Amino acid sequence: MALFFATILGAQPKATTGQDTLFFQNFESAVDPGQQMRAFPSGHDEEWVNYDADGADGLCISGPDGPPTGWFWESDLSTNEPNDNYAFTSCSWLDRPVRTMNWLITPPIFIPDDEQTLFWRSLSLQGPAYHDGYKVLVSTGSNIPESEAFADTLFQQAEMIAYSNNTSLNPADFLFSNGYIHAKTYTDTAFFFLDTFVDNNQQFPFLHGRLEPHSVSLEKYAGNWVFIAFLHDSRDDYMVQVDDITVLKRQLVSAQTPDFIRQFELFPNPSSGEAWVYWSTQHTVPNRFFIANSQGQVVWTYIPDGLHSGTQQMLLPTLPTGVYRCVLQTPLGTTSKTLLVQSRP
């Protein structure tokens, strides 16, 4: 693989990056970013790869060009209302009885040290019935799945495989494969809501997933180039989405940060147009985010409504270029990070 590494040594991932952000892809674009993705991996591609290995048509959504295959660009399914956020989506309800094998593979990313963390958000649209599973996999060599290069599993979400009552909202009435179940097995109400679908003029309830943040350390891969793959491999469930895929240098909290605040990340940084903040606290308490300029004036505020963790988008197009302070304020302590806002290119 020496030639491969020499070839990509100077390559940069096709994504927005910043000072502490190695890789950032939120799928926001004026056109479908899937149009720039390769349909098949060749082993060392520097572009995203959207590989439909099962070859079956999805029945979840129909479009002017027919049913989608592989991963496809779709608005955020966290809500039934129209919205401007977009994510990449995959369907496991197929036109023939095969397991979905949809691979979404990043360009190569160099992991310089053991302080890097992978962040992303995901949802299973339906649950607990037809809860979709997927895996996050890593390869340090080829990006061809059939070569068995993706040998390391970073994260596994369970899929529903059987039920005693498919209209139940109790996860105990379902059998799941090994892995994580969305929203902490549907106990974290920040990441799902009660919804209904109609079949044969009858309404059926289900738990509708919202995009939920996840993170995992990449310290094992320090000093290596990696491909990261999101593999949707459910069978006859429904839909899954992924968004805001980020590789970020984890910043150690300062001595002034209270123990109550587990994590506070800001990316990309420097930023232009938009940035994202990820936070986690030990317990659910009222908290508040704000951005202050160099004169101490508050220019943006967000109140998470009692959530103890999450990811929030910050739109910055109206802010002048400069240095700002992003603050997480809680009744049990406060922490902050410096944010550099740059003009749009």
Side-chain angles (χ1 to χ4, degrees), residues 99 128-133 158-164 173-178 233-237:
R99 181 171 294 279
Y130 310 113
H131 179 269
D132 272 278
E159 67 169 302
M160 186 216 76
I161 54 179
Y163 53 79
S164 58
D173 292 329
F174 299 84
L175 178 64
F176 298 90
S177 65
N178 292 332
D233 58 352
S234 276
R235 182 184 177 99
D236 198 26
D237 290 309

Side-chain angles (χ1 to χ4, degrees), residues 286-331:
N287 50 39
R288 171 177 176 251
F289 290 101
F290 65 86
I291 295 177
N293 62 21
S294 58
Q295 287 76 46
Q297 299 169 322
V298 175
V299 295
W300 180 87
T301 302
Y302 169 64
I303 299 175
D305 195 22
L307 303 182
H308 64 82
S309 67
T311 305
Q312 176 61 33
Q313 182 184 32
M314 302 180 292
L315 297 177
L316 310 173
T318 61
L319 295 185
T321 298
V323 178
Y324 295 80
R325 192 164 60 100
C326 184
V327 180
L328 169 58
Q329 188 178 62
T330 82

Side-chain angles (χ1 to χ4, degrees), residues 19-22 113 115-117 247-251 265:
Q19 182 178 3
D20 295 313
T21 308
L22 289 181
D113 52 49
E115 298 179 2
Q116 307 300 323
T117 300
V247 177
L248 176 72
K249 184 174 183 178
R250 183 179 295 275
Q251 300 177 5
E265 308 286 355

